[in-house]
Amino acid sequence: DGGITQSPKYLFRKEGQNVTLSCEQNLNHDAMYWYRQDPGQGLRLIYYSQIVNDFQKGDIAEGYSVSREKKESFPLTVTSAQKNPTAFYLCASSIDGYGRGSNQPQHFGDGTRLSIL
Amino acid sequence: GEDVEQSLFLSVREGDSSVINCTYTDSSSTYLYWYKQEPGAGLQLLTYIFSNMDMKQDQRLTVLLNKKDKHLSLRIADTQTGDSAIYFCAEKAFNKFYFGSGTKLNVKP
């Protein structure tokens, strides 16, 4: 079945450590997104990519980094510079690339919950 | 950025109708969406409406759009305990998505 796979489901980070969250999609979507969700709050955009080898900062990019070397993969690294990383991280994708407006929505993975040890 | 607002909580009894409201700011929005999030899971697309439509019905779900007032609502008929979740509205403008903070629906038996 086509979809978005996020791994791991739970992740623990030690102080000063970088951790990488995986996001893979087999929907052949051009655009991919990372969001952070804090308890009782909505989604905040961290980074997004509309095409391979290109990505843009969202509203809260500080302390995070991404890469988009393959169309199907958009890993997110939470660096030690992110002082409050405990949150639920959601990856999404949509069919739209640059300049391709459509009614197609975002599809979401099941999320990764990151906690501090 | 765009501003999408929702009330935080709604409580209804099983079998009643639920109405979840949302306001948005961008008059150039092309599509508006409703998502459902169950505990510990991602967002599941429920339905969407194009900005030139007033209403869309899909089984127990009815979406109403008042473009003049930039107001969107989701009505769930015959609400069940399985409908308890957080509901997000989202607008799409210029190929970017903007989400509300979510409305937590509690369905009492």
Side-chain angles (χ1 to χ4, degrees):
Chain A
D1 283 353
I4 300 174
T5 302
Q6 289 189 243
S7 62
K9 191 167 177 63
Y10 299 96
L11 187 58
F12 297 90
R13 195 191 89 169
K14 295 180 182 178
E15 292 288 339
Q17 186 183 42
N18 292 354
V19 291
T20 297
L21 284 61
S22 170
C23 178
E24 303 276 330
Q25 54 99 358
N26 61 3
L27 300 167
N28 200 32
H29 285 175
D30 286 319
M32 296 186 75
Y33 311 79
W34 274 106
Y35 293 92
R36 170 179 171 142
Q37 185 179 25
D38 291 285
Q41 297 189 29
L43 307 181
R44 292 188 288 171
L45 182 65
I46 305 172
Y47 269 98
Y48 65 103
S49 166
Q50 291 187 300
I51 199 168
V52 175
N53 292 323
D54 190 26
F55 48 83
Q56 285 78 40
K57 293 182 179 180
D59 301 319
I60 55 164
E62 186 173 347
Y64 300 96
S65 66
V66 293
S67 62
R68 187 86 188 277
E69 297 175 4
K70 297 186 293 183
K71 187 175 185 177
E72 59 270 23
S73 179
F74 191 41
L76 173 74
T77 297
V78 184
T79 74
S80 56
Q82 173 50 249
K83 297 306 179 190
N84 183 24
T86 298
F88 190 52
Y89 291 86
L90 286 162
C91 178
S93 71
S94 69
I95 198 168
D96 309 297
Y98 280 116
R100 291 175 53 203
S102 77
N103 69 334
Q104 297 304 310
Q106 287 184 333
H107 298 261
F108 284 82
D110 285 335
T112 293
R113 188 166 299 281
L114 176 62
S115 303
I116 295 293
L117 278 178
Chain B
E2 309 309 325
D3 196 11
V4 180
E5 294 192 355
Q6 302 177 238
S7 53
L8 291 180
F9 299 101
L10 177 65
S11 184
V12 300
R13 292 210 172 275
E14 191 174 19
D16 288 349
S17 291
S18 306
V19 179
I20 302 170
N21 295 303
C22 171
T23 57
Y24 62 97
T25 56
D26 188 357
S27 59
S28 64
S29 292
T30 51
Y31 296 94
L32 297 132
Y33 307 87
W34 283 104
Y35 286 87
K36 176 183 181 183
Q37 184 182 34
E38 298 186 4
L43 274 66
Q44 171 196 356
L45 178 70
L46 287 178
T47 187
Y48 66 90
I49 189 167
F50 186 42
S51 58
N52 70 352
M53 297 169 65
D54 298 324
M55 185 183 90
K56 181 178 181 181
Q57 189 155 358
D58 184 0
Q59 299 182 329
R60 292 192 297 122
L61 305 179
T62 302
V63 179
L64 294 176
L65 175 60
N66 180 330
K67 196 175 180 184
K68 174 177 167 288
D69 294 336
K70 299 189 182 66
H71 182 267
L72 181 73
S73 68
L74 173 70
R75 179 176 178 268
I76 306 173
D78 186 25
T79 312
Q80 303 297 307
T81 54
D83 294 324
S84 293
I86 301 174
Y87 291 81
F88 290 91
C89 71
E91 63 170 333
K92 184 176 184 180
F94 306 108
N95 269 2
K96 287 187 75 174
F97 294 83
Y98 302 92
F99 288 83
S101 55
T103 299
K104 186 169 186 177
L105 175 63
N106 178 42
V107 182
K108 294 179 280 189

